[in-house]
Amino acid sequence: MADYVLDTFWQVAAGPETIWPALTAVEEWPVWWRGVLAVERLKEGDSSGLGRRYRTTWRGWLPYTLTFETETTRVERPVLIEGQAHGQLRGTGTWRLRPDGEATQVHYRWAVCTTQPWMNALAPLARPIFRWNHDAIMRWGAEGLSRRLNVPVRFAVGASGR
């Protein structure tokens, strides 16, 4: 399996309480987030969203889709959401929201491994392309969130050793 740690940063001109509903209404992502093709809620979870389970299908610039399930394993409203992914990708996704004056710094860390044999076989050569594809999807998320909230959102990616 090929491991990836992908960091994305959004600076959102809104407070965490404004951003939180958009991030936690996962079924709405396909409406505003290009690249999110489908979301199906599989399990409700508790009132905070803990234990909530989704199946999502994604597609970036590259000609393939990824489908995986994510279960929310940690919630600290309105500053942290963490989930475990299983399926075509396996690992942990963590959203952290940190107030910064009138804005919020949103950091998303996606620490996953690929489970598809073809992706694992191509990883030594295609790793930069897979990263670029992920970054494109996250840029689309920033653009969509900006439209959804009607506020500016700046996008940046972080460097990682994997």
Side-chain angles (χ1 to χ4, degrees):
M1 285 187 244
D3 294 328
Y4 296 84
V5 177
L6 304 160
D7 290 303
T8 302
F9 300 91
W10 296 344
Q11 182 176 348
V12 183
E17 288 288 350
T18 300
I19 301 163
W20 187 263
L23 291 182
T24 57
V26 178
E27 292 99 335
E28 294 295 316
W29 287 3
V31 172
W32 59 267
W33 190 332
R34 179 179 170 195
V36 182
L37 302 181
V39 175
E40 177 186 1
R41 187 182 297 195
L42 303 174
K43 183 179 173 190
E44 184 59 34
D46 71 11
S47 61
S48 73
L50 190 65
R52 194 168 287 164
R53 191 173 185 93
Y54 298 97
R55 179 178 300 118
T56 57
T57 302
W58 301 76
R59 183 180 178 135
W61 285 112
L62 297 177
Y64 65 87
T65 61
L66 287 174
T67 299
F68 51 90
E69 294 182 9
T70 306
E71 182 169 348
T72 305
T73 55
R74 188 170 163 203
V75 177
E76 295 175 20
R77 188 182 208 294
V79 297
L80 184 127
I81 308 165
E82 188 169 274
Q84 294 296 311
H86 307 277
Q88 291 183 313
L89 295 176
R90 188 170 58 230
T92 304
T94 307
W95 291 99
R96 294 184 188 276
L97 289 72
R98 184 176 55 82
D100 184 14
E102 297 294 314
T104 300
Q105 299 294 327
V106 177
H107 174 203
Y108 184 67
R109 171 162 279 189
W110 190 223
V112 294
C113 61
T114 55
T115 63
Q116 298 297 290
W118 71 268
M119 289 183 86
N120 294 334
L122 290 176
L125 297 174
R127 181 177 298 275
I129 297 167
F130 291 158
R131 241 180 215 295
W132 168 80
N133 198 55
H134 170 82
D135 292 345
I137 291 170
M138 295 306 289
R139 180 179 305 279
W140 296 338
E143 292 165 354
L145 185 64
S146 177
R147 286 188 303 275
R148 180 92 170 169
L149 301 179
N150 197 30
V151 299
V153 177
R154 286 192 327 197
F155 167 84
V157 295
S160 176
R162 295 188 278 173

